Amino acid sequence: MLFTEFNFHPNLLEGIEASNYENATPVQEQVIPPIMAGKDVIASAQTGTGKTAAFLLPVMNRLLSNHVDGQVGALIVVPTRELAIQIAQHIEGLSYFTHLSSIAIYGGNDAQNFVAEKKALQMGADIIVCTPGRMIAHLNMGYVNMKGLQFLILDEADRMLDMGFQDDINKIIKALPVKRQNLLFSATMPVKIRQLAQKLLHDPVEINIAISKPPEKIIQKAYVVYEPQKLPLIKKILKETPFKNALIFCSRKQTVKELTRELKRGGVNVAEIHSDLEQSERESVLGAFTAGRIPVMVATDILSRGIDIDTIDVVINYDVPGDGEDYVHRIGRTARAEADGAAFTLIGEKEHNRFAAIEQLLGKEVEKVPVPEELGKAPSYNPRLRSGSGKRRPQRNFHRGSSKRR
Ligand code: AMP
């Protein structure tokens, strides 16, 4: 589903496009409509599924038409300051072309921040992201004004309860107006979350994004590389790994075309498949691939679901897919039936954080293989490295205005 189908404010759509989001992830597809319809929502969705934008976008969209001067519009309560910062960065990127204001309120920073936080809590801000402890510190001072609050969002609620924030959350809720829309996100749904939900939510829509894990028999490996190292590394993997059929995924069709051209130039017998090909062309390429006449294929995520070719024993992710679901589907193209399979992911400089989110979703770390020396020095893995970190503007230099079809 395309983001243009949600009827979002044009300035918000610009932020979505500049953040390089094209299609909504499954959680976004399911969560955004009921939030826009004003319903309370409880959703079980892990990090890596796109859950942050799933609640941010409809909330921002409403606040764009329902902004009230001097009031806090939405309060997002999260367990850790890292998550607060991460969500604040998301907000900054997505709201870049709007007038929405936001602030992250978390412990451990300096007095100057405390003053800015106090001002936002007294004088209003469209969106406030906070950790429970810091919020309680402000509440105890007596100046917090939540009279106009429209949304309360609890993110990673199970983790907050595990960390012992139940009482703090109750205190925060007491300071809020009764009439508001509540959204509760949690990776798991233990009894204590159900109890919290019962107290907090009114007639909620329940959404469960259960993500299937990839089969254990797929050997998963990853390389942490600089972008220019990707092409020589793929050539090397193809040369040194025995396979019947290798499928290489790229997130964008432009990359598919470029990579295919480069591989052909390097003597690889390879074909490409993406949405620019007619159905008949796709079928003929797939036929040649299945029959082994063309052993290597480069594809967009158009092929990550549904195709079942027993002979695919190697999957290579030229880039890290947008969410965990796509990763699982991509690598699930190998090791079909009784066969074994290997999946290699190339993690570029801007993809560390996204891969870390996928690992979290998988519940395990994927082995990082050292990049062969002859390809030069490679970066080290830094799961906290966010794409575009340190930049004021969201990235918008990349295939802007390109077709949204995969
Ligand atoms: P989250 O599950 O909210 O932590 O998001 C995981 C990652 O996916 C973040 O890096 C987001 O910026 C990214 N993301 C969220 N929604 C989309 C989307 N629709 N398309 C591509 N990337 C997305």
Side-chain angles (χ1 to χ4, degrees):
M1 186 173 181
L2 299 174
F3 280 106
T4 42
E5 293 171 59
F6 287 116
N7 215 3
F8 284 140
H9 190 285
N11 294 357
L12 191 55
L13 274 177
E14 248 195 295
I16 294 170
E17 200 180 341
S19 301
N20 282 328
Y21 299 173
E22 296 182 352
N23 295 285
T25 65
V27 69
Q28 290 161 355
E29 218 169 299
Q30 291 188 51
V31 162
I32 291 172
I35 300 181
M36 287 178 88
K39 301 288 291 178
D40 279 8
V41 166
I42 174 167
S44 73
Q46 290 123 321
T47 302
T49 55
K51 69 177 167 68
T52 314
F55 62 76
L56 284 182
L57 290 170
V59 165
M60 288 172 154
N61 192 59
R62 175 89 54 77
L63 294 177
L64 278 171
S65 53
N66 267 12
H67 163 89
V68 185
D69 269 345
Q71 300 295 328
V72 176
L75 182 68
I76 305 171
V77 189
V78 303
T80 62
R81 72 159 112 161
E82 286 75 20
L83 187 57
I85 294 168
Q86 199 174 303
I87 293 177
Q89 286 172 341
H90 255 86
I91 296 172
E92 198 186 341
L94 293 170
S95 70
Y96 188 80
F97 300 96
T98 74
H99 54 67
L100 293 175
S101 60
S102 61
I103 185 168
I105 292 183
Y106 50 87
N109 44 19
D110 59 27
Q112 216 179 346
N113 283 340
F114 201 89
V115 174
E117 294 171 9
K118 178 178 172 187
K119 189 167 162 224
L121 289 165
Q122 271 180 317
M123 318 285 286
D126 289 301
I127 307 175
I128 289 183
V129 191
C130 69
T131 53
R134 183 70 158 202
M135 188 64 191
I136 294 293
H138 284 288
L139 276 173
N140 287 343
M141 310 268 228
Y143 48 68
V144 173
N145 168 23
M146 289 284 160
K147 274 207 296 281
L149 191 84
Q150 300 173 53
F151 291 97
L152 169 68
I153 300 121
L154 301 185
D155 191 19
E156 301 203 356
D158 50 352
R159 225 166 128 203
M160 285 203 275
L161 297 193
D162 286 347
M163 289 167 77
F165 286 135
Q166 175 89 58
D167 290 346
D168 287 354
I169 290 172
N170 291 342
K171 266 190 225 161
I172 293 171
I173 292 172
K174 276 208 185 99
L176 308 180
V178 179
K179 197 170 168 300
R180 53 168 203 263
Q181 195 175 342
N182 300 292
L183 314 174
L184 191 156
F185 284 75
S186 188
T188 57
M189 285 292 158
V191 176
K192 53 190 180 178
I193 290 290
R194 297 255 162 227
Q195 288 164 344
L196 175 67
Q198 250 174 5
K199 268 199 339 214
L200 187 72
L201 309 175
H202 303 287
D203 188 22
V205 172
E206 189 164 339
I207 287 152
N208 188 353
I209 301 291
I211 164 152
S212 48
K213 302 248 160 120
E216 283 297 325
K217 62 181 176 176
I218 302 177
I219 298 161
Q220 300 177 54
K221 293 188 174 171
Y223 294 90
V224 182
V225 292
Y226 293 114
E227 216 56 38
Q229 291 174 314
K230 285 188 170 181
L231 176 64
L233 181 55
I234 290 210
K235 285 184 181 161
K236 199 166 166 58
I237 294 172
L238 291 176
K239 205 161 155 197
E240 294 180 0
T241 316
F243 63 84
K244 281 193 194 134
N245 277 121
L247 182 54
I248 307 172
F249 282 109
C250 307
S251 297
R252 292 165 194 283
K253 60 186 167 197
Q254 195 53 37
T255 322
V256 168
K257 292 176 188 176
E258 285 163 13
L259 179 62
T260 309
R261 199 175 48 230
E262 288 304 324
L263 289 175
K264 276 186 181 158
R265 203 174 279 168
V268 180
N269 183 4
V270 56
E272 63 189 54
I273 197 160
H274 47 72
S275 62
D276 279 356
L277 301 188
E278 296 296 333
Q279 187 60 31
S280 56
E281 291 174 297
R282 282 190 220 168
E283 279 165 18
S284 116
V285 169
L286 264 179
F289 183 61
T290 317
R293 289 195 301 279
I294 300 177
V296 183
M297 185 151 63
V298 186
T300 55
D301 283 291
I302 204 171
L303 270 204
S304 69
R305 285 157 209 248
I307 70 148
D308 197 354
I309 300 175
D310 285 352
T311 49
I312 298 176
D313 36 16
V314 167
V315 165
I316 302 173
N317 291 318
Y318 178 83
D319 43 34
V320 176
D323 62 66
E325 194 96 1
D326 275 343
Y327 178 82
V328 172
H329 283 290
R330 280 183 180 190
I331 73 166
R333 293 312 102 206
T334 183
R336 311 296 290 175
E338 297 306 310
D340 289 332
F344 304 98
T345 301
L346 275 48
I347 307 170
E349 294 134 85
K350 292 180 177 165
E351 300 173 321
H352 292 212
N353 173 263
R354 204 179 321 149
F355 195 70
I358 290 171
E359 287 181 314
Q360 199 170 339
L361 199 74
L362 298 172
K364 69 170 192 182
E365 259 184 53
V366 173
E367 182 191 346
K368 313 291 176 309
V369 185
V371 173
E373 262 177 34
E374 71 258 34
L375 300 188
K377 195 170 155 21
S380 50
Y381 187 48
N382 179 1
R384 288 194 174 176
L385 202 63
R386 286 193 59 76
S387 54
S389 60
K391 284 190 187 148
R392 175 66 184 90
R393 286 173 74 88
Q395 298 166 264
R396 51 177 315 166
N397 55 337
F398 209 68
H399 302 287
R400 205 161 180 262
S402 66
S403 158
K404 309 287 190 221
R405 292 166 70 214
R406 282 169 159 173

